[in-house]
Amino acid sequence: EAGVVQSPRYKIIEKKQPVAFWCNPISGHNTLYWYRQNLGQGPELLIRYENEEAVDDSQLPKDRFSAERLKGVDSTLKIQPAELGDSAVYLCASSLAPTSGGYNEQFFGPGTRLTVL
Amino acid sequence: GNSVTQMEGPVTLSEEAFLTINCTYTATGYPSLFWYVQYPGEGLQLLLKATKADDKGSNKGFEATYRKETTSFHLEKGSVQVSDSAVYFCALWKTGANNLFFGTGTRLTVIP
């Protein structure tokens, strides 16, 4: 079974440029997560989707970040314009939908390492 | 709020040494606790979990016991191998938040 696929794996851009990351979750997983992992830190949630609905985007910096999950499958995370502080690894994860608030294992992609110069 | 405090690394051990990576948490109620591992060039993988107090999670020779009295979930392995070299993350899941809260990670290097 294919895992979570992310592309690109690496991206280097200059500040003020736009950038987009793509994620293809595991087939059948309704829930999709985007995390940001700064150097030397653990991942922090940016946004969580249940199917095509963003149900938790409280940590997403909405002035420059946007995300979409059309048709409830693939997702794209965009930054425009990028700033130096956005350099990080952007992780996508997917899981089956939570049942009664319980935990379903999240499966992570390899991440996209963004460097903003 | 919900948070995880993890032993800072990096940790370097010789093969067959005993490993402990400390993890403590802050949360109201009864969170579920996890250890994730990130091997070089790969995504995070669930290593083990425990969903209630006194549960012991185990996998691949690793163990961790959910201690509510000390709010801890320390990771242990009796004899590490070179292939265990990775970054280890402690995390908690709080029902209602529907979100994983991660520690900062501990890099383990095992030398032959």
Side-chain angles (χ1 to χ4, degrees), chain A residues 9 33 35 37 40-45 48 50 56 91 98 100-110, chain B residues 32 34 36 38 41-46 49 87 89 93-105:
Chain A
R9 291 293 307 274
Y33 309 78
Y35 290 86
Q37 185 177 9
Q41 301 295 315
E44 295 180 329
L45 182 71
R48 175 170 63 94
E50 298 287 348
D56 184 355
L91 299 170
S100 302
Y103 175 78
N104 277 322
E105 183 177 348
Q106 294 183 25
F107 294 83
F108 285 80
Chain B
S32 296
F34 308 87
Y36 274 80
Q38 189 171 32
E42 298 184 16
L44 284 158
Q45 303 173 24
L46 179 63
K49 67 179 181 182
V87 182
F89 292 90
W93 170 274
K94 184 67 171 62
T95 299
N98 289 343
N99 183 15
L100 276 173
F101 296 87
F102 286 90
T104 55

Side-chain angles (χ1 to χ4, degrees), chain A residues 78-96:
Chain A
K78 298 178 181 178
I79 309 175
Q80 182 171 10
E83 297 179 352
L84 295 176
D86 296 331
S87 294
V89 176
Y90 291 83
L91 299 170
C92 180
S94 70
S95 72
L96 296 173

Side-chain angles (χ1 to χ4, degrees), chain B residues 6-30:
Chain B
Q6 194 172 333
M7 170 182 173
E8 291 188 15
V11 175
T12 302
L13 295 173
S14 297
E15 206 165 21
E16 299 184 2
F18 184 86
L19 168 71
T20 299
I21 301 178
N22 290 338
C23 172
T24 57
Y25 68 89
T26 300
T28 56
Y30 302 93

